[in-house]
Amino acid sequence: MTIFLSKLVQNNIKVFLVRNSDTQLFTVSYRNISILPNIYDGKEDPAPKFFSRNVQVLLKRLTRPDFAKVFRKRTSSGRDVLPTPIYKFLTNEALEAELAKANKKADRLLQMPPVVKIQQPINEILSEDPALIGYDTAKYLFTDITFGIANEHRLIVERDPDGTLRSCDHDVRKRLNQTYFPLNGRKLREPVMFTDEERFNTLLEQQEYEFVLDRACLQYEPDELTYQKITSITYQHIDMNKNFEKLRSTRHFGPMAFYITWHQNMDNLMLELLQSSAVREAVLLTALRHEIHGDVAEGDNAKILAHEILPTPIQLTKPDRLTEEDIQLDNKCVSCIEKYIVSNSMMKSQQELALQGFREYYQQLIELSRGLKKAHGTA
Amino acid sequence: MTMLSKLLSIRSIAAPINVFYKQINFPVNVIHNLTNFSTTSVKSVNFFNKLPAEKLWKSVTSVSNAGAKKGRGKGAGRIRIRDLNRGQVIGIGKINMLWPGLSAPVIRGRELLKQQRLPDDPERMEKLIKLRDSMTKFRRLRLSPIERGWSGARMPGRSIGPPDPIGEDEFTGFDTKVLQLRSLLIMKGNLGRTRNYQAMVVTGNGQGLAGFGLGRAKEASAALRKAKNRAGQKLMHFETYNGHTVFHDFYTAFGKTKIFVQKKNEGYGLKCHRAIKEICQAIGIKDLRAKLEGSNNLQHIVKAFFIGLLQQRTHQQLAEEKKLHLVEYKAENAYYPKVVASPSTVRTQDEILKDETLDFVQYVMNDRVILKKKRFPRFYETMPHYKIFLKKFERYRNHEKIRLMLKTEYGAVKSFLNDRYPEEKTESEA
């Protein structure tokens, strides 16, 4: 819990304080947010963990994709007049095929931006030719623009006035790649929303998280320092304000969940899940923590339970009927969460309270569905 | 023109002053030029001061009976009668005199006012001319642009309010639009040719309820009232798709009038005949395109469109007819297949006939196709100067975009070079 450092900010328009279970103090202000970015710059590389199949499956499930939101009407379509809808008469088989296609499209839309370690500076001297000293006062840059080479493997070198031939560093590589092979939407200069802190903070205050993260994905490479700083601040802002719902059904929820779990700060998300009665997802989150850190008490149990949960359909809304299997699974989930709260949680009292609330609500639901079954004579 | 200017200078007190001046000037002339003495008599009476203004004006403005029949004395060049006495006060004239007892009180305070000449008012005549001009100017339309119909002050396209209440039932939220108001001439045995008015109106509440009515009467207003109340009696309810358009494209006809209606997405607007537009607004349809073919008889258009709307089928009906799922793809939703209607039993691929119409638009249009006219190049596009223009313009095609980009980046149309070469900046500013 050392992510957020307290820092008093002068000239705040409005200041509110958030007290955590630890005696840590967060100071947040409109327009002037003092969140310190916490980036993946430690010794351990997050990439192998992030890309491992188990983690990917958990993150995708935690995203809880709602197709109404994934395929929602977007303002960035670039159309001035919406085209007329197309209608088709389809048989059952054709409809299933179309839905399968749409699922694939959704997978593509929800593809998570990679989480990797920060890039190392390139400092490779290829040759030193003292004979060229004083040949020119300018630096020469050479780019191999052969078609079909990936940008990261492209040969880009510079000849300095002192005759040294060296590989270019990342910033120069990025600029030259963008010059010769422009990425649609990426700017040569950083957009003001990222360079001007006040504007960036305004966007966060307006909860335009998806916009910020989408644009960051477009403008920066995932291993760039700036990208990681921006995403880190955004994730922390979401976490502090519990705006997780804003990122659900988007491709950024997975990296966000991974980030907060990696930095051992997923208790806010856990609390939100318990308060919204999503115990199954809470178990998945525990399993995720165990996959990453392996420090959860009876974590293997959570992993086994996660395998049971994954084949069940995603619960977009609270269920109104329960089958006996559902009840069994949910009871297992509750006991798993209980153990997590006792041994690992940082917000024990609040989470216990939320879990207790869920238990009471669930008991009512069980009675209702059993009563209904009896009334219908299907029990 | 000369006559007009003379007319303008006529004033009730003008004559005595002129006489007064002549009397003064006459002896002076005589002293210096006795040889110029004339024996011809000078008449101080002419038709300007002999005839009343009314007769004078009539002589200028009147048009003969034959001329009036041809339409003379109407329109832009028409001379209008002006009241030249307007804006004039007895006692105040070209020469600004103070007349105690006429244009001023006799005693002001303790002082007895004397007759005296005041400084001239140079703006007096201008004001008078302005006032006179205002009498002749064309009278503006008194309708506000919102009240105006399709054209000028004419009735078609204008709103005439909701139909009259029947007993205690009021037509709240309804509005009636005039679609047609025309005079019909009919021959009668004893009266000869008589004039009747016929009106066609559409009334609706903008929420699905609408109806049209036809009324005939001796007076235009009566015809409108009859049509309006009849429309109120013939209301029909129309379902709309998501409250903004029709359910599907359709073809409809009445007599020789054919209408091809197309369903459109939100924000498209109403692109159709003005009568169809008024009907759509009365119903509450916001987006639609209609193409008219054949006769453009207005009454037929209205009837054909209403018939077409009534013959629409809902998505559920279409799905049941075809026994297939009806799936909607919207571009704004990344073409996600949304099932809008499912039949009770779905046919399989084998049950679909070989030559069955499966295309949705073709099916709802009853295999009719809208004629798409070939687009001819604009008259200038074939000319040589247009090619020259295109060549010249090519280098500027992205400038607008770049200007915008520079403004967002630097706050003005400048680049990094401005900072590097500040002397250039001052030159361009100077």
Side-chain angles (χ1 to χ4, degrees):
Chain A
M1 282 308 295
T2 51
I3 299 166
F4 311 116
L5 296 178
S6 66
K7 182 183 171 190
L8 276 170
V9 186
Q10 283 103 35
N11 306 326
N12 288 344
I13 304 158
K14 205 171 173 183
V15 178
F16 60 87
L17 304 169
V18 182
R19 197 172 280 276
N20 207 352
S21 60
D22 294 6
T23 50
Q24 198 125 33
L25 204 68
F26 304 146
T27 312
V28 177
S29 75
Y30 288 115
R31 288 293 171 94
N32 215 345
I33 307 158
S34 57
I35 301 174
L36 289 185
N38 200 357
I39 46 188
Y40 296 103
D41 58 348
K43 276 179 188 158
E44 209 183 340
D45 184 7
K49 285 270 166 65
F50 178 77
F51 289 113
S52 78
R53 212 190 150 272
N54 291 340
V55 172
Q56 284 279 314
V57 167
L58 290 174
L59 291 177
K60 273 185 186 162
R61 181 60 188 254
L62 280 171
T63 305
R64 202 194 287 164
D66 177 8
F67 280 11
K69 194 179 170 190
V70 175
F71 293 103
R72 74 182 184 279
K73 198 167 158 183
R74 287 164 200 266
T75 48
S76 58
S77 63
R79 298 183 182 90
D80 30 353
V81 176
L82 295 175
T84 318
I86 299 164
Y87 289 88
K88 278 183 189 167
F89 288 118
L90 295 181
T91 57
N92 277 337
E93 300 85 55
L95 180 63
E96 267 163 35
E98 288 290 293
L99 286 173
K101 247 197 252 172
N103 280 343
K104 260 189 184 170
K105 202 187 267 178
D107 274 351
R108 199 174 55 76
L109 287 173
L110 291 173
Q111 194 185 29
M112 291 181 277
V115 176
V116 287
K117 212 178 162 184
I118 286 179
Q119 60 199 7
Q120 295 301 315
I122 302 173
N123 203 2
E124 186 190 4
I125 293 168
L126 298 171
S127 85
E128 284 183 32
D129 302 302
L132 289 172
I133 293 174
Y135 175 74
D136 203 336
T137 51
K139 195 194 277 182
Y140 280 66
L141 294 169
F142 301 94
T143 312
D144 175 16
I145 56 165
T146 314
F147 177 75
I149 300 174
N151 278 357
E152 57 271 25
H153 299 136
R154 183 159 286 120
L155 187 70
I156 300 174
V157 292
E158 63 180 65
R159 174 77 75 178
D160 293 339
D162 63 354
T164 317
L165 183 71
R166 60 170 81 239
S167 297
C168 292
D169 205 359
H170 294 288
D171 53 338
V172 181
R173 286 185 67 86
K174 190 182 167 190
R175 208 172 66 231
L176 285 170
N177 274 326
Q178 178 63 13
T179 310
Y180 291 115
F181 303 93
L183 239 95
N184 198 8
R186 184 179 279 187
K187 295 274 160 69
L188 272 178
R189 280 165 181 260
E190 282 182 68
V192 193
M193 63 179 260
F194 294 134
T195 52
D196 185 351
E197 202 177 335
E198 196 180 321
R199 288 185 201 205
F200 180 66
N201 290 341
T202 313
L203 279 175
L204 291 187
E205 287 304 330
Q206 289 169 355
Q207 307 187 351
E208 299 279 0
Y209 303 123
E210 206 191 343
F211 172 61
V212 169
L213 292 171
D214 273 340
R215 188 121 198 237
C217 270
L218 188 62
Q219 183 63 32
Y220 304 106
E221 295 295 330
D223 56 352
E224 264 182 77
L225 177 66
T226 333
Y227 173 79
Q228 300 220 352
K229 274 185 183 168
I230 286 164
T231 48
S232 159
I233 292 173
T234 314
Y235 295 151
Q236 289 181 43
H237 195 272
I238 293 166
D239 184 50
M240 284 159 75
N241 295 306
K242 290 184 187 167
N243 283 325
F244 302 109
E245 200 53 46
K246 284 260 167 194
L247 278 202
R248 285 223 168 82
S249 305
T250 73
R251 58 186 178 144
H252 303 293
F253 193 88
M256 193 267 298
F258 186 84
Y259 174 87
I260 53 175
T261 316
W262 180 269
H263 291 106
Q264 307 268 23
N265 192 44
M266 26 78 88
D267 282 309
N268 268 336
L269 178 58
M270 180 65 87
L271 183 63
E272 194 250 12
L273 288 172
L274 292 178
Q275 281 169 347
S276 58
S277 320
V279 271
R280 291 185 191 182
E281 282 178 29
V283 171
L284 294 182
L285 190 62
T286 346
L288 178 69
R289 177 164 173 171
H290 192 69
E291 283 284 349
I292 295 173
H293 297 296
D295 62 345
V296 181
E298 295 193 38
D300 295 322
N301 195 13
K303 273 168 80 174
I304 295 161
L305 204 51
H307 279 291
E308 274 181 57
I309 293 165
L310 285 171
T312 58
I314 300 165
Q315 291 173 337
L316 291 175
T317 49
K318 286 183 184 177
D320 46 356
R321 296 267 187 93
L322 292 170
T323 59
E324 288 303 319
E325 293 88 57
D326 280 337
I327 297 167
Q328 230 173 14
L329 186 59
D330 286 332
N331 283 335
K332 275 191 209 166
C333 291
V334 171
S335 58
C336 179
I337 299 295
E338 270 172 4
K339 276 165 201 155
Y340 167 81
I341 293 172
V342 170
S343 54
N344 295 78
S345 174
M346 302 256 200
M347 300 166 82
K348 279 183 185 123
S349 55
Q350 291 179 50
Q351 284 178 357
E352 257 164 21
L353 208 66
L355 194 64
Q356 187 53 38
F358 171 75
R359 272 199 211 100
E360 281 160 20
Y361 153 77
Y362 201 70
Q363 197 53 44
Q364 281 179 6
L365 203 63
I366 290 170
E367 277 164 24
L368 179 74
S369 29
R370 280 183 183 157
L372 273 173
K373 255 185 200 169
K374 220 177 201 176
H376 289 298
T378 47
Chain B
M1 269 316 288
T2 51
M3 197 154 63
L4 259 172
S5 60
K6 271 181 189 170
L7 277 168
L8 292 175
S9 65
I10 289 177
R11 294 198 323 275
S12 53
I13 55 164
I17 288 167
N18 282 343
V19 172
F20 175 70
Y21 272 130
K22 270 177 196 165
Q23 280 168 356
I24 292 168
N25 290 338
F26 188 61
V28 178
N29 282 342
V30 168
I31 290 163
H32 290 286
N33 198 356
L34 279 171
T35 52
N36 240 0
F37 181 74
S38 171
T39 52
T40 48
S41 60
V42 177
K43 281 183 185 171
S44 60
V45 174
N46 57 21
F47 72 90
F48 277 127
N49 48 22
K50 200 165 69 182
L51 292 172
E54 193 189 326
K55 283 199 173 175
L56 285 174
W57 276 117
K58 201 187 168 190
S59 71
V60 200
T61 56
S62 65
V63 180
S64 73
N65 203 16
K69 273 185 185 167
K70 285 176 186 169
R72 283 181 199 145
K74 276 186 175 176
R78 181 182 168 198
I79 300 166
R80 282 156 211 275
I81 297 169
R82 296 188 244 181
D83 183 1
L84 299 178
N85 287 331
R86 239 179 99 184
Q88 303 217 60
V89 185
I90 291 177
I92 299 166
K94 199 186 233 170
I95 293 167
N96 200 4
M97 289 290 288
L98 187 95
W99 304 101
L102 183 66
S103 62
V106 182
I107 301 164
R108 186 184 287 153
R110 287 194 172 181
E111 192 189 351
L112 190 71
L113 281 181
K114 278 183 185 169
Q115 180 185 335
Q116 55 174 324
R117 185 168 176 172
L118 299 173
D120 286 344
D121 180 10
E123 288 166 11
R124 184 182 161 275
M125 207 57 211
E126 278 171 31
K127 275 185 204 161
L128 264 182
I129 289 168
K130 210 176 165 190
L131 188 74
R132 283 169 190 174
D133 281 346
S134 70
M135 282 188 270
T136 59
K137 281 262 174 70
F138 180 72
R139 269 174 70 193
R140 287 223 143 263
L141 188 70
R142 64 193 154 73
L143 288 176
S144 79
I146 298 163
E147 289 171 320
R148 232 173 268 161
W150 294 334
S151 158
R154 298 175 68 90
M155 280 313 284
R158 282 185 61 185
S159 164
I160 50 171
D164 299 331
I166 298 156
E168 286 180 357
D169 299 331
E170 279 186 22
F171 289 88
T172 41
F174 278 78
D175 189 27
T176 311
K177 287 281 176 75
V178 182
L179 298 179
Q180 194 181 38
L181 178 69
R182 56 178 186 173
S183 69
L184 302 171
L185 296 168
I186 45 169
M187 295 301 288
K188 284 193 175 171
N190 49 355
L191 293 171
R193 195 162 62 171
T194 55
R195 191 184 287 266
N196 266 13
Y197 282 92
Q198 189 197 44
M200 186 171 220
V201 302
V202 62
T203 188
N205 63 355
Q207 285 160 7
L209 269 183
F212 68 92
L214 202 63
R216 269 198 208 95
K218 285 262 178 263
E219 293 294 325
S221 56
L224 286 172
R225 197 190 62 244
K226 269 187 189 175
K228 181 172 77 174
N229 291 337
R230 214 162 276 174
Q233 293 292 302
K234 293 177 180 172
L235 292 178
M236 292 166 257
H237 186 257
F238 299 97
E239 292 279 334
T240 48
Y241 174 74
N242 287 353
H244 76 99
T245 187
V246 289
F247 276 99
H248 53 80
D249 298 6
F250 59 84
Y251 163 79
T252 177
F254 191 91
K256 286 273 184 190
T257 302
K258 300 172 204 166
I259 309 175
F260 297 88
V261 178
Q262 285 175 315
K263 171 198 176 108
K264 288 290 171 188
N265 211 333
E266 275 168 300
Y268 184 86
L270 296 167
K271 295 193 182 172
C272 48
H273 189 278
R274 54 192 186 180
I276 296 178
K277 191 176 167 184
E278 297 294 352
I279 296 168
C280 287
Q281 282 168 352
I283 295 169
I285 294 170
K286 295 178 189 83
D287 307 289
L288 164 152
R289 178 175 180 258
K291 180 87 190 74
L292 215 61
E293 240 182 61
S295 160
N296 57 0
N297 181 323
L298 193 125
Q299 298 194 3
H300 285 196
I301 293 171
V302 174
K303 284 168 187 168
F305 188 63
F306 267 94
I307 289 169
L309 286 176
L310 287 171
Q311 285 175 346
Q312 277 186 96
R313 290 161 284 179
T314 59
H315 289 152
Q316 190 57 44
Q317 281 172 324
L318 286 165
E320 286 293 348
E321 272 174 35
K322 273 284 182 191
K323 291 212 172 82
L324 289 170
H325 295 289
L326 185 56
V327 184
E328 183 188 62
Y329 298 78
K330 282 185 170 178
E332 63 265 32
N333 297 343
Y335 295 106
Y336 180 74
K338 185 186 166 196
V339 182
V340 284
S342 288
S344 44
T345 52
V346 187
R347 286 190 292 170
T348 58
Q349 190 63 41
D350 307 330
E351 287 166 339
I352 294 170
L353 299 174
K354 209 176 80 185
D355 52 351
E356 198 180 312
T357 310
L358 275 180
D359 184 73
F360 179 78
V361 176
Q362 210 180 330
Y363 180 71
V364 289
M365 292 289 276
N366 271 340
D367 293 342
R368 279 184 179 267
V369 181
I370 303 173
L371 173 70
K372 276 185 190 159
K373 279 187 188 164
K374 191 192 164 194
R375 187 191 167 273
F376 289 101
R378 307 267 90 196
F379 66 92
Y380 53 82
E381 282 175 7
T382 52
M383 288 178 168
H385 77 257
Y386 185 66
K387 268 185 189 161
I388 297 168
F389 162 74
L390 286 181
K391 272 182 206 160
K392 278 186 177 173
F393 186 71
E394 200 186 10
R395 57 192 299 213
Y396 303 114
R397 72 211 137 141
N398 277 333
H399 280 199
E400 204 48 52
K401 240 186 274 170
I402 286 164
R403 249 183 229 124
L404 188 71
M405 227 173 67
L406 291 175
K407 274 181 193 166
T408 51
E409 225 164 80
Y410 301 99
V413 183
K414 63 172 191 178
S415 72
F416 65 96
L417 290 169
N418 281 63
D419 300 328
R420 201 177 289 174
Y421 304 105
E423 68 276 15
E424 292 289 327
K425 191 178 157 194
T426 46
E427 264 176 38
S428 64
E429 275 173 2

